[in-house]
Amino acid sequence: MHSGKNLLMPGVSKREVLAWASYDFANSGYTTVILTAVYNAFFVSVVAENAVWATFAWTLTITLSNLLSIAVIPVISALADAKANKRFWLAVMTGICCMSTATLAYTGPGTLASAVILIIISNTAFNAGVSLNSAFLSELAKPEAFGKVSGWGWSFGYLGGIVSLAACLLIVLKDRKQGSRLMSMCLTRQCRLRRFSL
């Protein structure tokens, strides 16, 4: 970021850009841990008990959450723009995502409905948070630097995703017999990291 001052809007410091990118660092753990590599496997094998329809149930759950996101995000964005309080709504969406994600630690066999509802809530809030955080880019960088500054956020996000995934996999693999307790530890640590980034 040596040439960062030439890329940023007047009055914006590199520290502010780092804080903005730190949200991506913490946030990316959700996609890697919940949607991609850890909880989705837990959902199929434990929550849905490896039923023939388990993978379809997971796919349908994600689809429903994305459809809800399409409906909710424009409304939240309009409210945030009208009151110029994007940071407030970002905190609200992050809090909802953290709480619903942490509650996934209590899911297991026989809790399919609860797991589906929690995933729909958490993924919708996650998507809204990503949208709101991205909206800060125009306040941080000059138009000609959107791509480069956005790239800093994305690269920091990928690093955060890798770190979160590695930590959770180490926790889960440490003792597979304690899967539920270890899953709880993993989800709790992920949420603490996200709250810190705000």
Side-chain angles (χ1 to χ4, degrees):
M1 286 197 214
H2 293 298
S3 59
K5 289 184 178 179
N6 299 324
L7 302 175
L8 306 181
M9 294 293 284
V12 174
S13 67
K14 292 181 182 179
R15 183 177 179 180
E16 289 175 287
V17 176
L18 179 61
W20 173 77
S22 293
Y23 186 86
D24 265 344
F25 180 88
N27 212 31
S28 294
Y30 181 85
T31 55
T32 53
V33 174
I34 303 300
L35 302 183
T36 306
V38 181
Y39 190 80
N40 64 336
F42 182 81
F43 179 94
V44 170
S45 62
V46 179
V47 177
E49 302 180 81
N50 276 321
V52 293
W53 43 263
T55 300
F56 175 74
W58 175 257
T59 304
L60 182 61
T61 299
I62 299 304
T63 300
L64 290 173
S65 69
N66 288 334
L67 289 173
L68 183 59
S69 298
I70 291 171
V72 167
I73 290 174
V75 176
I76 294 173
S77 298
L79 289 172
D81 287 340
K83 298 290 185 179
N85 59 354
K86 289 194 293 289
R87 188 171 181 178
F88 166 78
W89 282 105
L90 179 60
V92 169
M93 291 299 107
T94 301
I96 292 172
C97 185
C98 282
M99 288 186 288
S100 52
T101 301
T103 309
L104 288 172
Y106 298 99
T107 60
T111 63
L112 180 65
S114 298
V116 167
I117 292 169
L118 289 169
I119 285 294
I120 290 174
I121 293 172
S122 67
N123 195 41
T124 301
F126 168 81
N127 289 333
V130 169
S131 177
L132 289 163
N133 190 55
S134 298
F136 282 102
L137 180 61
S138 61
E139 299 176 16
L140 297 173
K142 295 178 180 178
E144 64 271 20
F146 282 174
K148 188 165 187 176
V149 176
S150 177
W152 294 339
W154 273 99
S155 60
F156 213 35
Y158 274 111
L159 177 61
I162 292 170
V163 170
S164 296
L165 179 60
C168 287
L169 288 178
L170 285 174
I171 291 171
V172 171
L173 293 174
K174 183 178 179 182
D175 190 344
R176 293 185 181 182
K177 292 180 181 179
Q178 300 178 40
S180 295
R181 185 178 68 83
L182 295 173
M183 178 65 74
S184 175
M185 290 170 57
C186 181
L187 297 176
T188 301
R189 288 184 184 184
Q190 179 191 347
C191 284
R192 284 177 180 168
L193 181 60
R194 296 184 70 200
R195 286 199 304 271
F196 175 76
S197 72
L198 285 175

